[in-house]
Amino acid sequence: MTVSAIITAAGKNSRMRKDQISRNISVKNKLILPFHNKTVLETTIDNALSSNVDECIVVLGHYSDEIKEAIFDNYKDSVKFVENNPVDVGLSVSLLNGLKNISSDFALCITGDQPTVSSETFDEMINVCKNSDNPEKTIAILRRRKTGLLDTAEGLGMPFVAFKDNLIKYLENENDNLNPILRKIFDDGYTFYGIKEKNELELLNINHYDDYLKLFDNF
């Protein structure tokens, strides 16, 4: 079973931008904010590369020039960068663009603003999917409520591991957030398995400036 990591880093940064303006601080894309010795996105990439993946793809869109200027030189030999065209698309399109550029059978799907999700958690998702009765129809996903076999896909999002070809079928002709698509996949009889986090901070995405401060101060 081969696995490629896809990291989506193509969003508008609108909530963070609004918070930064309201605080009268310089506007900066959340993915290149400092996160200890690196940036938010670099930490996410490093965690992905430290897991049992065969390659890593980063999907860029909005602010692609700013992000590449900050991190490209550090990852040009270890990461493949893909750019959305056009850039103003939903998360599902970013993920689809990433899926079309991987060489593996399975995809570890991550958002760039998840620097606290550990490589151990990513590996647990990969192992659960790999060892399931039907890996091609199993989604191993970071839990939001329950762990183990799930009875709903409500509230779920990235990160997760899924079979590439089947996921592509659900993402084609969509331009949306991922949860409605995950609910559709669940309704079609796929097995969803909730993976428990190693640390409760793994459950927090960086959407607002307060999220960033909480993770920065506590991780």
Side-chain angles (χ1 to χ4, degrees):
M1 174 175 164
T2 56
V3 182
S4 297
I6 300 170
I7 301 175
T8 58
K12 292 181 178 179
N13 196 53
S14 54
R15 286 173 286 190
M16 179 64 74
R17 179 184 175 86
K18 183 177 179 181
D19 287 352
Q20 289 168 331
I21 292 171
S22 70
R23 290 168 181 257
N24 198 29
I25 57 179
S26 60
V27 174
K28 198 171 188 179
N29 188 284
K30 63 182 178 180
L31 298 179
I32 57 173
L33 290 173
F35 199 75
H36 304 294
N37 295 324
K38 299 208 172 184
T39 63
V40 169
L41 181 55
E42 285 175 311
T43 307
T44 304
I45 292 172
D46 287 350
N47 289 339
L49 290 173
S50 296
S51 66
N52 292 321
V53 298
D54 299 279
E55 65 178 348
C56 182
I57 311 290
V58 173
V59 183
L60 301 174
H62 294 279
Y63 301 95
S64 62
D65 290 343
E66 185 179 344
I67 293 170
K68 287 179 77 173
E69 182 179 353
I71 75 164
F72 181 77
D73 286 345
N74 294 333
Y75 293 95
K76 60 185 178 183
D77 297 323
S78 56
V79 170
K80 181 178 180 180
F81 290 88
V82 174
E83 296 193 34
N84 290 335
N85 185 17
V87 298
D88 197 15
V89 294
L91 181 56
S92 63
V93 176
S94 293
L95 185 54
L96 179 62
N97 288 342
L99 287 165
K100 288 180 175 179
N101 282 277
I102 66 173
S103 57
S104 302
D105 299 324
F106 287 79
L108 168 62
C109 306
I110 310 165
T111 62
D113 61 356
Q114 296 179 315
T116 56
V117 182
S118 64
S119 56
E120 292 83 6
T121 297
F122 292 147
D123 284 341
E124 180 68 12
M125 292 178 196
I126 292 168
N127 291 334
V128 165
C129 195
K130 179 179 180 179
N131 295 318
S132 67
D133 292 338
N134 187 355
E136 293 184 8
K137 294 200 73 175
T138 297
I139 306 283
I141 193 163
L142 181 63
R143 70 103 186 180
R144 296 308 191 272
R145 301 185 184 100
K146 296 181 181 179
T147 60
L149 190 65
L150 301 180
D151 57 8
T152 179
E154 293 290 334
L156 296 177
M158 292 199 275
F160 64 86
V161 173
F163 183 58
K164 175 183 72 173
D165 290 347
N166 289 349
L167 188 55
I168 285 175
K169 292 174 185 176
Y170 282 95
L171 293 174
E172 283 180 331
N173 303 314
E174 296 284 353
N175 188 7
D176 202 349
N177 289 322
L178 280 183
N179 185 255
I181 297 167
L182 289 171
R183 294 202 308 266
K184 189 181 298 183
I185 295 172
F186 182 88
D187 290 342
D188 283 346
Y190 281 66
T191 298
F192 276 62
Y193 198 92
I195 304 301
K196 183 170 175 56
E197 69 284 359
K198 303 297 180 188
N199 182 310
E200 66 177 9
L201 295 177
E202 292 189 6
L203 300 176
L204 184 65
N205 290 29
I206 299 175
N207 291 316
H208 294 280
Y209 199 76
D210 283 339
D211 301 330
Y212 167 68
L213 293 178
K214 181 176 180 179
L215 290 186
F216 190 88
D217 291 341
N218 292 287
F219 191 74

